[in-house]
Amino acid sequence: MGFIEILLVLVIVTDLALLGASRINSCIRFAAAQGILLGVLTLVSGAEGHTLRGIALAIVSAGVKGVLFPALMTRAIREARVRREIEPVVGYTTSVLVGVASLAVSLWISSRLPLVRPAASTLVVPTAFTTILVGLFLILSRKKALNQVTGYLVLENGIYSFGVALVEAPFLVELGVLLDVFVAVFVMGITIFHINRTFDRIDTDLLSSLKD
Amino acid sequence: MSPATLIPPILALVLAPFLLAIVNRTKAAFAGRRGQPWLQQYYDLAKLLRKGAVYSRTTTWVFRAGPIVSLAAVLVATAIVPLGGARAPLSFEGDIVLLAYLLGVVRFFTVLAALDTGSPFEGMGASREVQFSALAEPALLLGLAALARLTGKLSLSEIVATISGDPRATWFAEGPALVFVVVALAIVFLAENARIPVDDPNTHLELTMIHEVMVLDHGGVDLAFIEYGAALKLWVLGSIVVGLVLPVRTGAVLVDALVTVLGLGALAVATGAVESSMARLRLLRVPQLLVGAGAFSALALIFILMPR
């Protein structure tokens, strides 16, 4: 089991930690750690490897996901004054079990998914799928807008790890996606601020009671 | 069965209470106290064995059977658990399942004896013990299943001997999975032995106790049996964890066993450090920790089952 596998396993561990964490602060920290892990993964995985582009992509993505986004979200927390998710739709314990189940499903999917080019490791595809599923699940099962943003980031991390380890020249695509995500997080930060100012809370449930 | 295989159980029987002394001395060192004498556990056991017991009229034979059956089950467990490279005297295909059930028997009879007293506090402790162990057991069994699958062996002695004897095929090939199993088993070790962060062995407030509250009504010889059984349980689960972590295999049974005993001492120090540096988890958070351990075991099993 090489260095890549260890990185991928750590990514899966951060997925599970995100599912089990109740404090928004620790959620943000886990998502940041995942972003940095994926940056390192870009460096060691075969596709982009040690070219200048690969190194630049790794540094930019790790910087944006590991430093910039956490800073933006911490600021949003400070402005909205929220500490923890009070009542997630699905409990934390159940969430962790869902995470394990989604890993099993991802392994099953990836075992019958023909790849054009062999991946850097057999774990790449399952990890990417797990991270995507966990991100989706976080968006669905959490009520606080900030946790949903974290879920969105995790979802993007999953897609990113898929691209980095498999596709030949993901540089432009990845940068484009990164820009999109950056704008999304920026807009969501503003939205959170407004939700909070309108309702004094950032539970997105409240939005469904909006009428014109 | 060669005489050399008797070394692990003999060491266990003699040294098990000493592990508790190491834990206590570590906690004392953290708190800046001198701590109790190294042999205090033995003095306590000797004192309790000399005492008589008072039995409430509410209790039946179940209450008296509890400590005896529990101690007997733990003694059998000591006979099937190897000490690192040193094999256990009893070992056969499938004794990993027997180990899980022996621990289950210990718990079941402790719980029955607690319920037999009719005390509401003991009933509460029993309910908590059963709830938490129901969550800890999957973690233990899945972890053992992962180990069995990795080594292709079904007996504890063989599993531990394979893992410690051939680290190239186990630790280097399946390192992350083994780390998960060790983490999960370490959490089970803390939970089963009623240590922080699951339970506090020092607390004497009935509302927060789990294990201690169930043995409140036992005294004299019964209490000595329970304390000794608890020490042996600590030794048994600890020697599995240490056996996986310390891949030492010299071939000489005595050396292997002694190295593992040193490892157990280190584990006791680590336990003391954990107890000194963190608080007991809130009761609502404990299931989360145990399910997390189960998730780690499941992950390990999935990784090992994964086709390469």
Side-chain angles (χ1 to χ4, degrees):
Chain A
M1 195 161 266
F3 190 55
I4 296 182
E5 272 89 353
I6 293 173
L7 279 177
L8 291 169
V9 167
L10 284 176
V11 170
I12 295 175
V13 171
T14 50
D15 283 341
L16 291 183
L18 274 162
L19 287 170
S22 62
R23 277 163 209 273
I24 294 181
N25 265 328
S26 39
C27 271
I28 293 175
R29 227 170 286 141
F30 287 133
Q34 196 173 51
I36 292 174
L37 280 174
L38 289 179
V40 182
L41 183 71
T42 322
L43 284 181
V44 296
S45 75
E48 278 295 330
H50 309 287
T51 59
L52 195 62
R53 290 197 313 180
I55 294 171
L57 179 60
I59 291 174
V60 170
S61 85
V64 170
K65 287 179 191 160
V67 182
L68 189 60
F69 286 168
L72 277 176
M73 289 166 75
T74 322
R75 197 171 138 260
I77 289 187
R78 230 189 5 256
E79 281 171 2
R81 283 189 217 87
V82 278
R83 281 283 171 277
R84 65 170 65 198
E85 174 89 30
I86 307 293
E87 281 169 346
V89 183
V90 182
Y92 302 111
T93 314
T94 326
S95 302
V96 173
L97 292 179
V98 169
V100 174
S102 64
L103 176 64
V105 170
S106 316
L107 281 167
W108 179 73
I109 292 176
S110 63
S111 72
R112 39 191 59 215
L113 199 68
L115 294 176
V116 181
R117 215 164 51 89
S121 150
T122 45
L123 261 180
V124 169
V125 182
T127 310
F129 270 122
T130 312
T131 313
I132 293 171
L133 287 176
V134 165
L136 275 176
F137 183 76
L138 281 175
I139 297 176
L140 288 175
S141 66
R142 302 294 190 251
K143 278 186 185 163
K144 290 265 188 280
L146 263 169
N147 283 20
Q148 294 176 352
V149 178
T150 328
Y152 179 69
L153 281 180
V154 172
L155 178 65
E156 204 281 323
N157 280 345
I159 299 168
Y160 176 86
S161 57
F162 202 86
V164 152
L166 285 180
V167 187
E168 194 66 54
F171 187 60
L172 265 180
V173 182
E174 285 305 336
L175 275 191
V177 172
L178 212 55
L179 186 69
D180 281 355
V181 174
F182 174 69
V183 172
V185 171
F186 204 74
V187 171
M188 283 185 223
I190 298 168
T191 318
I192 286 169
F193 180 66
H194 282 285
I195 297 176
N196 187 48
R197 212 170 52 180
T198 315
F199 297 114
D200 287 334
R201 269 182 293 163
I202 57 169
D203 289 1
T204 44
D205 281 2
L206 296 164
L207 288 179
S208 54
S209 64
L210 281 181
K211 302 230 166 55
D212 45 25
Chain B
M1 195 173 89
S2 69
T5 57
L6 286 176
I7 293 173
I10 289 174
L11 282 175
L13 293 180
V14 176
L15 291 177
F18 198 67
L19 280 186
L20 289 171
I22 298 179
V23 174
N24 285 333
R25 288 293 280 230
T26 312
K27 286 166 78 174
F30 266 90
R33 291 179 281 119
R34 212 170 70 235
Q36 49 183 233
W38 287 106
L39 296 180
Q40 187 61 45
Q41 295 295 329
Y42 297 92
Y43 299 147
D44 284 351
L45 287 176
K47 177 190 76 186
L48 286 171
L49 283 174
R50 282 200 310 271
K51 286 194 171 185
V54 180
Y55 293 105
S56 144
R57 276 193 306 277
T58 322
T59 59
T60 60
W61 61 271
V62 176
F63 181 75
R64 298 180 194 215
I68 300 168
V69 177
S70 300
L71 182 63
V74 183
L75 285 175
V76 178
T78 33
I80 61 171
V81 171
L83 207 51
R87 277 154 200 276
L90 268 181
S91 105
F92 49 90
E93 293 281 294
D95 60 6
I96 49 175
V97 181
L98 179 65
L99 174 77
Y101 277 92
L102 282 172
L103 294 177
V105 166
V106 174
R107 193 176 313 120
F108 182 64
F109 272 86
T110 316
V111 165
L112 275 193
L115 290 174
D116 197 37
T117 60
S119 146
F121 276 131
E122 301 212 10
M124 198 174 62
S127 132
R128 287 174 183 168
E129 170 91 1
V130 172
Q131 186 204 352
F132 293 157
S133 55
L135 295 170
E137 219 159 55
L140 177 68
L141 276 173
L142 283 175
L144 290 177
L147 293 175
R149 172 73 195 189
L150 173 63
T151 55
K153 305 278 170 37
L154 275 173
S155 88
L156 274 174
S157 292
E158 294 281 339
I159 288 175
V160 172
T162 313
I163 285 180
S164 57
D166 190 7
R168 196 166 295 283
T170 53
W171 272 101
F172 292 137
E174 295 284 356
L178 271 177
V179 170
F180 284 151
V181 174
V182 170
V183 169
L185 288 184
I187 293 176
V188 170
F189 165 79
L190 291 177
E192 284 280 349
N193 291 304
R195 319 295 313 187
I196 288 175
V198 173
D199 188 6
D200 188 349
N202 284 341
T203 182
H204 279 285
L205 177 67
E206 289 92 335
L207 285 173
T208 59
M209 289 193 284
I210 300 172
H211 181 76
E212 293 297 315
V213 77
M214 290 197 298
V215 301
L216 274 181
D217 281 80
H218 289 283
V221 180
D222 288 345
L223 189 59
F225 278 15
I226 287 173
E227 301 265 329
Y228 190 53
L232 282 176
K233 201 169 160 189
L234 188 76
W235 180 281
V236 163
L237 283 167
S239 54
I240 294 177
V241 175
V242 172
L244 295 179
V245 178
L246 272 185
V248 177
R249 189 138 175 81
T250 53
V253 176
L254 206 56
V255 181
D256 281 351
L258 285 179
V259 169
T260 314
V261 169
L262 288 183
L264 274 170
L267 183 69
V269 171
T271 311
V274 167
E275 297 209 350
S276 314
S277 55
M278 71 184 291
R280 197 175 63 84
L281 289 176
R282 276 184 297 139
L283 277 176
L284 290 175
R285 300 274 302 189
V286 172
Q288 224 172 313
L289 176 78
L290 294 175
V291 169
F296 273 156
S297 286
L299 271 186
L301 188 59
I302 288 174
F303 282 140
I304 289 172
L305 285 175
M306 199 177 66
R308 304 262 147 199

